[in-house]
Amino acid sequence: MTSVDTLDQVSEILSHAEKKCVARGVRLTDKRKLVLSSLLQMNKAVSAYDIVDYCKKQLGEIVPAMSVYRILDFLQEQQLVHKLNLVNKYVACCEIACDHSHEVSQFLICSSCHKVKEIKLGKITEAELRRDVEEAGFKLVSPQLEINCLCEECVKASN
Amino acid sequence: MTSVDTLDQVSEILSHAEKKCVARGVRLTDKRKLVLSSLLQMNKAVSAYDIVDYCKKQLGEIVPAMSVYRILDFLQEQQLVHKLNLVNKYVACCEIACDHSHEVSQFLICSSCHKVKEIKLGKITEAELRRDVEEAGFKLVSPQLEINCLCEECVKASN
DNA sequence: TTTTCAAATGTTATGATATAACATAACACT
DNA sequence: AGTGTTATGTTATATCATAACATTTGAAAA
């Protein structure tokens, strides 16, 4: 994948995101686009401060960390971004460009490079999960699962 | 469950933990016992600084935060304590008193009060999880799952 | 059009979690 | 007692996150 392809994809996804925001009556401002665009370009789980650095060094834009946190909150509300609590990092949703409504996701997080893959577990698995949780007397709040993994490249690199 | 019962259980578990450490040729020092004992008495997921406070206020012992972190690392290596990355808190392993070797755990974490229940998922669920992860081209590092839930009391309290 | 209100962003301070680096103390083995 | 290793103490700092208040921007009413 070339750099141009990537940038094309980014602006494609950004315009989808903007449509979704318009449809919901909220504004995807320039700063918000900047943050989302950074997340898309970095293409892995990053911290709020990583975004600040990326904006400054790669895009020549100064964004206060406080603003990044607020914008990340907004983007999460709009289901454009997920927070990965396992590693205290943020990642763009893989389904921004889809029209169907958003399902709950499971995240495979590479412990080594923080690359993230968002997958759907099989139906049986989620049903069983819910059953096991309720048997234990708890109520499932969010079936979002965050799973410590290694991606293929990092597995190879460690050999 | 009365307070005395609880304290009896704590010292019972501590002596199991000590046996395990002796068997492995490592030392469960007084400070380490203090930290493990605090975790057992608090009986929920707590931060390192919560442990510092508990030691000071409830047990009259001053333990520097730095020491608590080191001791938590040690206790994790000995599989006496788990770190819950989802909430950046620590909890005593529920199986310290068991003799059989330790399996991988799933944690139900109450988002409201941080009570934690450690459960085993059904075999099919774990096998499916592993299959789904590997189909996605990742390698499962730790099938430890941390799941956002509400415990019964907090569900009731929110009604 | 300008006034006005709400939303967005900026600014500063601080809290919460965690680790690095080096010093000292305790223990265990000669 | 001497020596090396392990454990703990101490200080500083990195990293992640929010609170509180000021300013700016944008959109809609007057």
Side-chain angles (χ1 to χ4, degrees):
Chain A
M1 190 188 287
T2 71
S3 166
V4 171
D5 280 339
T6 302
L7 286 178
D8 277 356
Q9 287 177 5
V10 168
S11 63
E12 163 85 7
I13 294 172
L14 277 181
S15 75
H16 272 279
E18 183 141 41
K19 267 179 221 154
K20 286 196 178 177
C21 286
V22 169
R24 303 180 63 163
V26 297
R27 280 186 297 153
L28 191 63
T29 63
D30 287 349
K31 295 277 175 191
R32 288 167 174 174
K33 274 185 204 165
L34 183 66
V35 168
L36 181 53
S37 170
S38 300
L39 271 173
L40 289 164
Q41 287 174 55
M42 288 190 279
N43 195 36
K44 60 175 183 172
V46 297
S47 73
Y49 286 88
D50 290 338
I51 295 172
V52 172
D53 290 348
Y54 186 87
C55 287
K56 186 154 101 189
K57 289 180 187 146
Q58 307 300 315
L59 309 176
E61 300 266 1
I62 304 296
V63 195
M66 191 63 256
S67 293
V68 171
Y69 277 107
R70 275 190 294 229
I71 289 169
L72 287 171
D73 285 346
F74 168 86
L75 295 172
Q76 284 175 265
E77 278 163 17
Q78 305 311 318
Q79 296 182 313
L80 300 171
V81 160
H82 300 286
K83 175 172 187 189
L84 302 178
N85 294 294
L86 204 60
V87 288
N88 296 315
K89 295 187 189 303
Y90 304 83
V91 70
C93 174
C94 71
E95 291 192 328
I96 293 176
C98 301
D99 288 329
H100 61 271
S101 90
H102 199 80
E103 291 167 42
V104 170
S105 293
Q106 286 74 42
F107 298 95
L108 310 183
I109 306 169
C110 179
S111 316
S112 173
C113 72
H114 288 135
K115 207 179 299 122
V116 172
K117 187 145 188 178
E118 197 177 337
I119 65 167
K120 308 291 172 197
L121 288 184
K123 291 237 180 307
I124 296 171
T125 303
E126 188 175 331
E128 286 206 44
L129 179 65
R130 190 172 292 278
R131 188 206 59 201
D132 287 343
V133 168
E134 293 186 356
E135 270 176 13
F138 278 60
K139 183 169 183 296
L140 197 56
V141 164
S142 152
Q144 169 171 317
L145 294 182
E146 303 175 22
I147 304 169
N148 256 319
C149 302
L150 284 173
C151 72
E152 268 174 318
E153 287 104 79
C154 290
V155 168
K156 278 177 202 152
S158 70
N159 289 337
Chain B
M1 188 189 288
T2 71
S3 167
V4 172
D5 281 341
T6 303
L7 286 177
D8 277 355
Q9 287 177 4
V10 167
S11 62
E12 163 85 6
I13 294 171
L14 278 181
S15 74
H16 272 281
E18 184 141 41
K19 268 179 219 156
K20 286 196 179 178
C21 286
V22 169
R24 303 181 62 164
V26 298
R27 279 186 297 153
L28 191 63
T29 63
D30 287 349
K31 295 276 175 190
R32 287 167 176 173
K33 274 184 204 166
L34 183 66
V35 169
L36 181 53
S37 171
S38 301
L39 272 173
L40 289 163
Q41 289 175 53
M42 287 188 279
N43 194 36
K44 60 175 184 173
V46 296
S47 73
Y49 288 88
D50 290 337
I51 295 172
V52 171
D53 291 348
Y54 186 87
C55 287
K56 186 152 101 188
K57 290 181 187 141
Q58 308 300 316
L59 309 176
E61 299 266 1
I62 304 295
V63 195
M66 191 63 257
S67 293
V68 170
Y69 277 107
R70 274 192 294 230
I71 289 169
L72 288 170
D73 285 345
F74 168 85
L75 295 172
Q76 284 175 264
E77 278 164 17
Q78 305 311 317
Q79 296 183 311
L80 300 170
V81 160
H82 300 286
K83 176 172 186 188
L84 303 177
N85 294 295
L86 204 60
V87 288
N88 295 315
K89 293 188 189 302
Y90 304 83
V91 70
C93 173
C94 72
E95 291 191 328
I96 293 176
C98 302
D99 288 329
H100 61 271
S101 90
H102 199 78
E103 289 169 44
V104 171
S105 292
Q106 285 73 42
F107 298 94
L108 312 182
I109 305 169
C110 179
S111 316
S112 173
C113 72
H114 288 136
K115 206 179 299 123
V116 172
K117 186 145 186 179
E118 197 176 339
I119 65 167
K120 306 294 169 195
L121 288 183
K123 290 237 181 305
I124 297 171
T125 303
E126 187 175 333
E128 285 206 48
L129 178 66
R130 189 171 293 275
R131 188 206 60 203
D132 287 344
V133 168
E134 292 186 357
E135 271 176 12
F138 277 60
K139 184 171 183 294
L140 198 55
V141 164
S142 152
Q144 168 171 319
L145 294 182
E146 303 174 24
I147 304 168
N148 256 320
C149 302
L150 285 175
C151 71
E152 269 175 317
E153 285 104 78
C154 290
V155 169
K156 278 178 201 152
S158 72
N159 288 337

